[in-house]
Amino acid sequence: MPRPLPPPDAPPSKAAIGHPIHREKPLGNERWPRPPSACPARLLEIVPTGARITVAGLVLVRQRPGTAKGVIFITLEDETGTCNVVVWAKIYERFRRAVIAGRLLRVTGRVQRQTNIVHVVAEEIEDISPMLDLLLSPELTPDICRAGDQP
Protein backbone atom coordinates (compact mmCIF):
# COMPACT_ATOMS: atom_id res chain seq x y z
CA MET A 1 0.00 0.00 0.00
CA PRO A 2 1.51 3.37 -0.99
CA ARG A 3 2.23 6.00 1.61
CA PRO A 4 -0.12 8.99 1.87
CA LEU A 5 1.26 12.16 0.31
CA PRO A 6 2.49 14.88 2.68
CA PRO A 7 0.67 18.22 2.77
CA PRO A 8 1.76 20.56 -0.06
CA ASP A 9 3.35 23.04 2.36
CA ALA A 10 5.48 20.39 4.17
CA PRO A 11 9.25 20.57 3.59
CA PRO A 12 10.63 17.66 1.54
CA SER A 13 12.03 14.80 3.58
CA LYS A 14 15.37 13.18 2.76
CA ALA A 15 13.50 10.04 1.69
CA ALA A 16 11.24 12.03 -0.62
CA ILE A 17 14.16 13.64 -2.46
CA GLY A 18 15.95 10.32 -2.94
CA HIS A 19 18.66 10.74 -0.33
CA PRO A 20 20.81 7.61 -0.82
CA ILE A 21 20.90 6.70 2.86
CA HIS A 22 17.15 6.93 3.39
CA ARG A 23 15.60 5.71 0.16
CA GLU A 24 13.41 2.66 0.41
CA LYS A 25 14.54 -0.61 -1.10
CA PRO A 26 12.04 -2.95 -2.77
CA LEU A 27 13.50 -6.03 -1.11
CA GLY A 28 13.86 -6.42 2.64
CA ASN A 29 17.18 -7.53 4.12
CA GLU A 30 15.75 -10.90 5.06
CA ARG A 31 14.89 -11.71 1.43
CA TRP A 32 18.02 -10.45 -0.33
CA PRO A 33 20.49 -13.24 -1.22
CA ARG A 34 23.38 -11.73 0.77
CA PRO A 35 26.81 -13.14 -0.07
CA PRO A 36 28.27 -15.09 2.84
CA SER A 37 30.29 -13.11 5.39
CA ALA A 38 29.65 -9.67 3.86
CA CYS A 39 29.25 -6.58 6.04
CA PRO A 40 26.28 -4.40 5.02
CA ALA A 41 27.27 -0.92 3.80
CA ARG A 42 25.21 0.78 6.51
CA LEU A 43 27.48 -0.71 9.21
CA LEU A 44 30.74 0.62 7.72
CA GLU A 45 30.50 3.82 9.76
CA ILE A 46 30.83 1.83 13.01
CA VAL A 47 33.65 -0.47 11.88
CA PRO A 48 36.96 0.67 13.43
CA THR A 49 39.72 2.05 11.21
CA GLY A 50 42.15 -0.68 10.18
CA ALA A 51 39.68 -3.54 10.69
CA ARG A 52 39.74 -6.28 8.04
CA ILE A 53 36.25 -6.78 6.62
CA THR A 54 34.42 -8.14 3.60
CA VAL A 55 31.85 -6.11 1.66
CA ALA A 56 29.82 -7.07 -1.38
CA GLY A 57 27.60 -5.25 -3.83
CA LEU A 58 26.70 -4.27 -7.35
CA VAL A 59 29.35 -2.27 -9.17
CA LEU A 60 27.99 1.24 -9.73
CA VAL A 61 31.20 3.02 -10.77
CA ARG A 62 34.76 2.12 -11.73
CA GLN A 63 37.18 5.05 -11.95
CA ARG A 64 40.82 5.11 -12.94
CA PRO A 65 41.90 8.75 -12.96
CA GLY A 66 45.06 9.52 -14.88
CA THR A 67 46.44 11.40 -11.89
CA ALA A 68 45.94 8.48 -9.45
CA LYS A 69 49.06 6.50 -10.52
CA GLY A 70 47.18 3.31 -11.40
CA VAL A 71 44.77 3.35 -8.45
CA ILE A 72 41.20 2.29 -9.25
CA PHE A 73 38.19 3.49 -7.27
CA ILE A 74 35.09 1.30 -7.24
CA THR A 75 31.70 2.15 -5.76
CA LEU A 76 29.62 -0.84 -4.67
CA GLU A 77 25.96 -0.78 -3.66
CA ASP A 78 24.10 -3.32 -1.57
CA GLU A 79 20.55 -3.14 -0.23
CA THR A 80 21.61 -0.83 2.61
CA GLY A 81 23.78 1.76 0.83
CA THR A 82 27.07 2.33 -0.97
CA CYS A 83 30.68 1.47 -0.23
CA ASN A 84 33.87 3.00 -1.64
CA VAL A 85 36.67 0.60 -2.54
CA VAL A 86 40.28 1.56 -3.30
CA VAL A 87 42.22 -0.89 -5.49
CA TRP A 88 45.98 -0.33 -5.65
CA ALA A 89 47.79 -1.20 -8.91
CA LYS A 90 49.39 -4.36 -7.48
CA ILE A 91 45.99 -5.72 -6.34
CA TYR A 92 44.44 -4.73 -9.68
CA GLU A 93 47.00 -6.82 -11.58
CA ARG A 94 46.27 -9.82 -9.35
CA PHE A 95 42.45 -9.56 -9.64
CA ARG A 96 42.25 -7.84 -13.03
CA ARG A 97 39.45 -9.97 -14.52
CA ALA A 98 37.14 -9.47 -11.52
CA VAL A 99 37.81 -5.71 -11.39
CA ILE A 100 37.15 -5.23 -15.10
CA ALA A 101 34.27 -7.64 -15.74
CA GLY A 102 32.56 -8.14 -12.38
CA ARG A 103 29.02 -6.79 -12.01
CA LEU A 104 28.70 -8.08 -8.42
CA LEU A 105 31.89 -8.11 -6.34
CA ARG A 106 32.93 -9.35 -2.91
CA VAL A 107 35.92 -7.37 -1.61
CA THR A 108 38.00 -8.13 1.46
CA GLY A 109 40.25 -5.40 2.78
CA ARG A 110 41.06 -2.87 5.49
CA VAL A 111 38.83 -0.01 6.53
CA GLN A 112 40.35 3.42 6.00
CA ARG A 113 38.64 6.52 7.35
CA GLN A 114 39.41 10.12 6.35
CA THR A 115 37.16 12.68 8.02
CA ASN A 116 33.63 11.36 7.35
CA ILE A 117 34.49 9.21 4.32
CA VAL A 118 35.02 5.47 4.73
CA HIS A 119 36.94 3.40 2.17
CA VAL A 120 37.78 -0.28 2.02
CA VAL A 121 41.33 -0.74 0.73
CA ALA A 122 41.10 -3.98 -1.26
CA GLU A 123 43.28 -6.99 -0.50
CA GLU A 124 41.17 -9.63 -2.28
CA ILE A 125 38.48 -9.22 -4.93
CA GLU A 126 36.06 -11.91 -6.05
CA ASP A 127 33.58 -11.76 -8.94
CA ILE A 128 30.31 -13.19 -7.60
CA SER A 129 28.18 -12.05 -10.55
CA PRO A 130 26.57 -15.52 -10.92
CA MET A 131 24.70 -14.74 -7.68
CA LEU A 132 22.68 -12.18 -9.67
CA ASP A 133 20.76 -15.12 -11.15
CA LEU A 134 19.33 -15.76 -7.67
CA LEU A 135 17.46 -12.46 -7.95
CA LEU A 136 15.34 -13.97 -10.73
CA SER A 137 13.83 -16.63 -8.48
CA PRO A 138 10.06 -16.12 -8.03
CA GLU A 139 10.21 -15.95 -4.23
CA LEU A 140 12.48 -12.87 -4.41
CA THR A 141 10.33 -10.92 -6.88
CA PRO A 142 7.85 -8.72 -5.00
CA ASP A 143 4.35 -8.58 -6.47
CA ILE A 144 4.65 -4.82 -6.96
CA CYS A 145 7.35 -5.03 -9.63
CA ARG A 146 6.63 -8.04 -11.83
CA ALA A 147 7.27 -7.33 -15.49
CA GLY A 148 3.85 -8.58 -16.60
CA ASP A 149 2.14 -5.93 -14.46
CA GLN A 150 3.80 -3.02 -16.25
CA PRO A 151 1.66 -0.85 -18.57
Side-chain angles (χ1 to χ4, degrees):
M1 182 165 144
R3 287 190 201 172
L5 292 174
D9 58 340
S13 69
K14 286 183 179 179
I17 60 175
H19 193 274
I21 296 174
H22 295 96
R23 70 178 176 212
E24 293 182 22
K25 299 290 183 173
L27 297 175
N29 294 345
E30 69 280 352
R31 297 177 67 195
W32 185 266
R34 170 161 289 292
S37 303
C39 175
R42 76 175 186 284
L43 297 180
L44 286 176
E45 55 194 45
I46 63 171
V47 175
T49 301
R52 190 167 194 258
I53 63 163
T54 299
V55 293
L58 293 169
V59 177
L60 294 181
V61 179
R62 288 180 188 90
Q63 296 178 342
R64 189 175 190 175
T67 58
K69 299 180 182 177
V71 177
I72 296 175
F73 302 97
I74 300 174
T75 302
L76 302 179
E77 181 179 35
D78 67 10
E79 70 279 12
T80 66
T82 60
C83 171
N84 299 312
V85 177
V86 177
V87 182
W88 292 104
K90 185 176 177 180
I91 299 298
Y92 168 70
E93 290 304 322
R94 188 168 161 210
F95 298 102
R96 181 184 183 104
R97 180 179 291 259
V99 171
I100 291 173
R103 296 176 297 143
L104 181 66
L105 296 178
R106 179 172 33 217
V107 178
T108 301
R110 301 274 176 194
V111 172
Q112 182 182 62
R113 187 172 277 110
Q114 292 178 349
T115 59
N116 291 332
I117 300 173
V118 179
H119 299 284
V120 176
V121 179
E123 296 173 354
E124 296 178 29
I125 302 169
E126 181 183 358
D127 182 2
I128 57 171
S129 298
M131 285 189 74
L132 289 171
D133 293 338
L134 296 174
L135 295 175
L136 297 175
S137 69
E139 60 270 2
L140 288 176
T141 306
D143 291 335
I144 59 172
C145 64
R146 293 195 184 210
D149 296 338
Q150 300 301 316

